[in-house]
Amino acid sequence: MTRSYRSLFGTALVAGLIATLGTLPTTPAQDKAPDKAKPKAKAPKPPVKPEYSTPAASLKVAKDFTAELLYVVPKETQGSWVNLCNDPKGRLIVSDQYGALYRVTPPPLGTKGESKVEKIPVDLGMAQGLLVAFDALYVVVNGGDKSGLYRVTDTNNDDMYDKVELLRKFDGGGGEHGPHAVIRHPDGKRLTIVCGNQTKLTKLDNSLVPKVWGDDHLLTRVPDGNGFMSGVLAPGGCIYNVNPDGTNWELVSVGFRNQYDAAYNKAGDLFTFDADMEWDMNTPWYRPTRVCHVTPGSEWGWRNGAGKYPEYYADNLPPTVNVGPGSPTGVCFGYGAKFPAKYQNAFFICDWSYGKLYAVHNTPSGASYKSTLEEFVTGSPLPLTDVIINPVDGAMYFAIGGRKTQSALYRVTYTGKDSTAADTTVPTPTPEAVQRKGLEQYLGNPATPDKALAAAWPLLGSPDRFLRFTARAVVESQPLETWATKATTETNPEAAIEALLALARVSEPCPLHAKSKAAAGLPQATVDALLRLDFAKLTASQKLDLTRTLQVTLHRQAATPAQTETLTKQLDAVFPTGSRFLDSELLQVLVFLQSPTAATKGLKLLADAPTQEEQLEYVRSLRMLKAGWTPAQRGEYFAWFTKAGGYKGGNSFQGFLRLIKTDAVAQLTADEKVALKPILDAKPATTSMTTAAPRAFVKKWTLDELTPVVAKGLEAGHRDFDKGRKLFGAANCFACHRYDNEGGNTGPDISGVAGRFSTRDLLESILDPNKEVSDQYAAVEIVTLDGRTLLGRIINHNGDNMMINTDMLNPNAITAVNKSNLDTMKLSKQSMMPAGLFDTLKEDEIVDLVAYLLSRGDRNGPFFKK
């Protein structure tokens, strides 16, 4: 679905969600009375009937599709449904999050009949994974000490399941990050199991992932600001393959936060929808919910607290698309649906918090895919829990519910005129995909190192990131003595960086290679090889990869004093580089090396940073620096915490600030603590989160005035990238919009505006944000029976309560509204994006800002060439 350019910035209202199937706040923010006088409270009326809480007619469905409400779940007797699957007769198996299993026979298409619901008479419940396969019902239970994979069968052929077998017990279930989905493997012989990051690694028979993972933080990790899962370390959420009888557990992929479900496409490639950590909103380590192409042996970089890997780290993989804040739940491909081919091949994903069912359209790109998002079904509220295609009738079924909210079952059918014939075509794999799959046979298989290394080593230098990653995973799986010398003598820069990263990862105390004689002398040889690489001749991505390799190497190995001195001099000579992310990574290394220039250069970066995320990145690194400070610089550093008291973020934000400051204070001498006491004890500011001083009014610009001015300025070139980025921060755009992997998430990610919008379209969307408001970011206007008027966005549910975010700049501005107190609720036509953002900018400044927006974050783009 093509989004109108006028909805580009939309209603940037929500600055975070309260929980991604995690912990709800114990004390919601106080309700705020509207600015106008509070009207007289209306007389109470009966609670809203659940069958009318989310009627099908209120849903927005893709063109030529129809949604129907099939069944409203009686909460008192059948609970709140969170999982669906089909049986061979076209019936549905469903599960109550805290209770039993049920079988649902939906009415035939085109009829008004009622759904038949039967309780399955087995002592089994709390399922978050269901699959009918291999003449059995497989059930993944997330229920404390009952958590595990079960097989349920019909032993007397009476068409009802009656026997339960435990195939594998899981440790760590019961919370909402426990064991989740079970799906059929495309080989037709195995199952694939999905577990969140509170499920401990199960006993393995094989691992496609080299078992060399670690947290790999060069500087001391900052745990979650509220202590959530602070003791949980890598590997995080995992995906396994297993035989139908529960034997032979094979680890496929690691490093997820809380991926609830997964699905295979026609090519046999696995996809999942991973969760964010919403408490991290407005920090540099926040990662949005995202669609992941899960290749065998892959790592996705979840780590607790501030330790999550940015997607550019070489030792994890990037998503096919970032979605934004939300709560990922069920997913499926559209195979078997009587839909047009485009939707048969779509990857459907459910967002529980924001009530959105997306159709994700994947396009092969090298060894992986790129994805685009289309809103397929949306509603408010619509806490989606699972979605499936029923191949018997060709319809889509989805459920809402979870956390004891009102649950219901819906069906979606196609009513248009396009062909719905089954699309049996399988896209021709790209050459890179063929190479990747050829490499995967060597994962977890050290029996043929000569063949494995012959296949993998040339691809360590591939321009394709997924190929490089898989090749390195293959290398790490082979005996160290077969490739250690080769790694330290590799001359191709790209291949050398990957090979040396592999060496760092398998070094002691790695259990995979701990007994290898080749491990002797590795630390010095690895660092020497890194020092030989000419930093100035590397590409931008290679510089990032080299810096990450240095971090892992120095964390896992010990450099000699001579190497430390040489490395410090080399990095001091190139730092800062002017690249936002490279500088943040290099500063970590220089702080670890205790560079005498790190304080001066780091504070300069801090002073010039236009966003609180970037500032926080530098402050986090500098907290561990002891060398090179002057008394004035120490004061400047700690004064930042006073200013940052007014910054806003997710639920852990203030806790992160406290932990970072505590670490920094621990680096001080007793005399320094005395001298800095007034600053250390200063009360935090309470100002807004904007990081720039207010600007004077220039003029009220019009579209017709600006369009030719900007077009002429861009054509002339010679724009200033850094000035444009600072203006983006000064206009507070970073507070709501993500751009080039930084910024807020209350509005859409605008990194790709250059490919979708003309200059005039872009200017209009900024000058007149109310002209068209995107449904994706629209607010709701709520009037309650006790006389309150709220403007906000539903971001969470808990029983009969809806959690409303009412401040686009503050993720913790949450108001709870009970459905029984709801009078009216409607979508707002007013954008929460402020008008007049250009009113304080001069012509040249506007041109620089637009050039920055159209640059895709590339400071060497055509607008900036000198």
Side-chain angles (χ1 to χ4, degrees):
M1 183 182 298
T2 302
R3 181 180 300 164
S4 165
Y5 67 84
R6 297 186 183 95
S7 65
L8 166 64
F9 288 87
T11 306
L13 178 67
V14 179
L17 70 134
I18 294 305
T20 303
L21 292 178
T23 305
L24 284 166
T26 56
T27 309
Q30 287 294 109
D31 296 352
K32 295 181 180 179
D35 293 337
K36 60 184 179 181
K38 183 176 180 180
K40 185 177 180 180
K42 299 181 181 181
K45 65 180 182 181
V48 178
K49 293 183 179 181
E51 58 264 40
Y52 298 116
S53 60
T54 314
S58 71
L59 303 180
K60 182 175 180 181
V61 187
K63 185 178 183 295
D64 294 330
F65 287 87
T66 299
E68 56 182 316
L69 175 59
L70 293 182
Y71 186 70
V72 176
V73 180
K75 184 165 37 173
E76 294 77 12
T77 58
Q78 294 177 1
S80 192
W81 293 356
V82 296
N83 207 231
L84 306 172
C85 76
N86 303 300
D87 75 5
K89 296 182 178 180
R91 299 170 298 190
L92 313 180
I93 309 296
V94 304
S95 63
D96 170 19
Q97 183 176 3
Y98 307 107
L101 304 177
Y102 300 89
R103 185 169 68 188
V104 180
T105 304
L109 295 179
T111 69
K112 297 295 183 180
E114 295 185 356
S115 297
K116 178 183 177 181
V117 180
E118 308 166 85
K119 185 176 180 179
I120 297 177
V122 294
D123 185 18
L124 195 65
M126 296 179 287
Q128 294 192 8
L130 297 170
L131 173 70
V132 176
F134 306 110
D135 299 319
L137 169 64
Y138 289 90
V139 181
V140 175
V141 171
N142 184 356
D145 58 5
K146 292 185 178 180
S147 296
L149 172 66
Y150 294 80
R151 180 169 58 186
V152 187
T153 52
D154 175 8
T155 61
N156 58 10
N157 296 317
D158 67 348
D159 195 32
M160 184 57 74
Y161 297 108
D162 53 49
K163 180 183 177 182
V164 176
E165 301 172 82
L166 174 62
L167 300 181
R168 174 60 61 97
K169 184 177 178 61
F170 289 127
D171 186 357
E176 291 178 326
H177 293 231
H180 295 313
V182 51
I183 62 176
R184 187 192 294 265
H185 192 280
D187 66 9
K189 300 177 182 179
R190 293 181 292 172
L191 306 171
T192 297
I193 310 295
V194 174
C195 294
N197 63 354
Q198 277 186 321
T199 313
K200 293 183 180 179
L201 189 70
T202 195
K203 182 180 178 181
L204 299 174
D205 299 287
N206 187 38
S207 180
L208 304 182
V209 183
K211 292 188 285 185
V212 298
W213 54 74
D215 271 28
D216 284 326
H217 303 128
L218 183 57
L219 302 178
T220 304
R221 176 176 59 90
V222 181
D224 179 77
N226 283 334
F228 181 64
M229 292 180 63
S230 60
V232 179
L233 304 177
C238 298
I239 295 179
Y240 306 91
N241 291 330
V242 59
N243 290 339
D245 62 358
T247 61
N248 194 26
W249 284 76
E250 178 180 74
L251 184 62
V252 176
S253 184
V254 299
F256 299 97
R257 182 173 185 265
N258 195 29
Q259 77 298 19
Y260 184 80
D261 201 356
Y264 287 98
N265 70 1
K266 290 178 180 178
D269 289 324
L270 184 63
F271 287 81
T272 192
F273 184 22
D274 196 17
D276 63 349
M277 175 49 165
E278 66 289 342
W279 289 0
D280 293 348
M281 293 286 286
N282 297 346
T283 69
W285 46 87
Y286 172 76
R287 301 192 311 179
T289 64
R290 58 219 192 119
V291 174
C292 302
H293 168 209
V294 186
T295 54
S298 55
E299 154 77 68
W300 295 91
W302 175 84
R303 300 295 186 270
N304 178 263
K308 283 172 286 297
Y309 293 1
E311 63 183 63
Y312 56 76
Y313 269 14
D315 44 344
N316 78 155
L317 286 170
T320 63
V321 65
N322 283 316
V323 179
S327 293
T329 48
V331 306
C332 74
F333 275 93
Y335 306 139
K338 292 181 179 178
F339 292 175
K342 172 183 177 181
Y343 296 99
Q344 290 181 41
N345 294 303
F347 179 50
F348 292 97
I349 61 175
C350 294
D351 177 3
W352 181 81
S353 290
Y354 293 118
K356 297 185 183 297
L357 197 166
Y358 294 96
V360 181
H361 303 290
N362 298 319
T363 302
S365 177
S368 183
Y369 298 80
K370 295 296 182 185
S371 304
T372 58
L373 299 171
E374 174 189 350
E375 291 187 21
F376 188 71
V377 178
T378 62
S380 187
L382 194 71
L384 292 146
T385 55
D386 205 3
V387 58
I388 59 173
I389 303 298
N390 189 338
V392 174
D393 61 16
M396 169 187 283
Y397 291 81
F398 68 82
I400 64 171
R403 291 202 183 162
K404 300 183 179 180
T405 60
Q406 178 58 56
S407 194
L409 178 68
Y410 297 79
R411 179 164 61 192
V412 178
T413 52
Y414 179 67
T415 55
K417 297 180 180 180
D418 291 344
S419 172
T420 59
D423 181 11
T424 59
T425 60
V426 178
T428 302
T430 64
E432 295 88 349
V434 173
Q435 288 178 300
R436 173 179 57 77
K437 293 192 175 186
L439 287 176
E440 289 167 1
Q441 65 182 302
Y442 301 109
L443 291 169
N445 178 17
T448 56
D450 291 342
K451 290 183 179 180
L453 292 174
W457 203 271
L459 296 176
L460 290 175
S462 169
D464 188 287
R465 183 168 172 185
F466 275 73
L467 266 181
R468 293 200 306 273
F469 187 98
T470 304
R472 177 172 49 77
V474 169
V475 170
E476 290 173 355
S477 302
Q478 309 311 310
L480 186 58
E481 59 269 14
T482 64
W483 58 275
T485 300
K486 192 175 179 67
T488 57
T489 57
E490 174 62 54
T491 56
N492 176 284
E494 190 76 75
I497 292 169
E498 288 287 348
L500 294 171
L501 177 58
L503 267 187
R505 283 167 46 83
V506 304
S507 59
E508 306 251 15
C510 166
L512 185 62
H513 301 290
K515 297 180 181 180
S516 172
K517 293 181 180 179
L522 262 187
Q524 186 167 352
T526 305
V527 176
D528 282 343
L530 289 168
L531 288 170
R532 287 195 296 270
L533 292 170
D534 189 339
F535 191 87
K537 294 182 179 180
L538 300 179
T539 66
S541 63
Q542 288 171 347
K543 289 175 182 177
L544 273 172
D545 291 348
L546 172 60
T547 305
R548 177 56 183 163
T549 300
L550 278 169
Q551 292 174 354
V552 178
T553 300
L554 295 173
H555 171 68
R556 295 204 181 198
Q557 304 177 0
T560 66
Q563 288 174 328
T564 298
E565 181 180 359
T566 301
L567 183 57
T568 303
K569 289 180 179 179
Q570 286 189 4
L571 296 184
D572 269 333
V574 298
F575 177 77
T577 66
S579 171
R580 149 80 174 91
F581 298 110
L582 180 57
D583 283 341
S584 67
E585 301 301 333
L586 284 172
L587 182 59
Q588 290 186 47
V589 179
L590 287 167
V591 168
F592 177 83
L593 297 171
Q594 294 296 307
S595 164
T597 68
T600 300
K601 293 179 177 180
L603 287 175
K604 178 65 166 58
L605 289 171
L606 175 62
D608 291 341
T611 72
Q612 70 175 49
E613 289 88 350
E614 185 179 355
Q615 292 176 24
L616 192 56
E617 190 77 85
Y618 302 136
V619 168
R620 176 177 59 152
S621 293
L622 289 170
R623 85 190 199 281
M624 304 306 295
L625 181 66
K626 291 185 177 181
W629 293 97
T630 66
Q633 288 173 334
R634 282 290 198 192
E636 181 182 348
Y637 174 82
F638 283 105
W640 179 88
F641 289 95
T642 304
K643 180 180 72 169
Y647 291 176
K648 306 298 181 184
N651 203 28
S652 293
F653 187 80
Q654 292 301 322
F656 280 126
L657 293 182
R658 182 180 64 255
L659 291 172
I660 291 171
K661 184 176 179 180
T662 298
D663 283 347
V665 171
Q667 311 304 315
L668 300 175
T669 65
D671 289 342
E672 287 175 324
K673 290 177 183 178
V674 172
L676 292 168
K677 192 175 188 305
I679 298 176
L680 296 177
D681 293 345
K683 292 184 177 181
T686 57
T687 55
S688 68
M689 73 177 291
T690 181
T691 60
R695 296 172 58 90
F697 177 81
V698 175
K699 68 173 295 185
K700 189 74 175 178
W701 294 100
T702 68
L703 181 63
D704 289 339
E705 284 177 324
L706 280 183
T707 300
V709 169
V710 172
K712 183 178 179 181
L714 293 177
E715 184 179 356
H718 306 290
R719 307 317 312 174
D720 189 322
F721 178 91
D722 292 311
K723 186 177 179 181
R725 183 169 178 270
K726 289 180 180 179
L727 288 166
F728 192 72
N732 220 17
C733 304
F734 273 123
C736 301
H737 295 285
R738 200 160 184 83
Y739 183 82
D740 192 27
N741 290 314
E742 63 177 331
N745 283 272
T746 62
D749 187 321
I750 56 176
S751 302
V753 293
R756 303 194 304 270
F757 307 101
S758 70
T759 302
R760 183 179 177 88
D761 294 342
L762 178 60
L763 290 170
E764 186 176 17
S765 66
I766 299 172
L767 291 169
D768 189 4
N770 290 318
K771 193 158 188 178
E772 185 170 332
V773 178
S774 167
D775 291 331
Q776 185 176 359
Y777 297 92
V780 292
E781 184 179 305
I782 293 174
V783 178
T784 63
L785 293 176
D786 57 8
R788 293 173 298 159
T789 298
L790 301 170
L791 184 67
R793 193 173 171 199
I794 301 171
I795 62 168
N796 215 320
H797 314 266
N798 186 17
D800 289 333
N801 284 325
M802 298 184 296
M803 304 300 184
I804 316 297
N805 178 269
T806 58
D807 184 349
M808 62 187 289
L809 299 181
N810 186 359
N812 282 326
I814 307 298
T815 296
V817 176
N818 192 283
K819 293 179 183 178
S820 65
N821 192 31
L822 182 65
D823 186 21
T824 63
M825 181 173 67
K826 62 181 181 180
L827 286 176
S828 174
K829 296 182 179 180
Q830 181 177 354
S831 171
M832 293 303 294
M833 176 179 167
L837 291 176
F838 282 162
D839 292 357
T840 62
L841 302 183
K842 300 175 183 178
E843 282 187 10
D844 272 0
E845 292 176 322
I846 293 173
V847 179
D848 283 334
L849 175 55
V850 173
Y852 173 72
L853 286 172
L854 295 176
S855 72
R856 302 178 188 265
D858 181 8
R859 63 174 53 251
N860 296 314
F863 300 129
F864 310 109
K865 290 184 177 179
K866 303 299 182 183

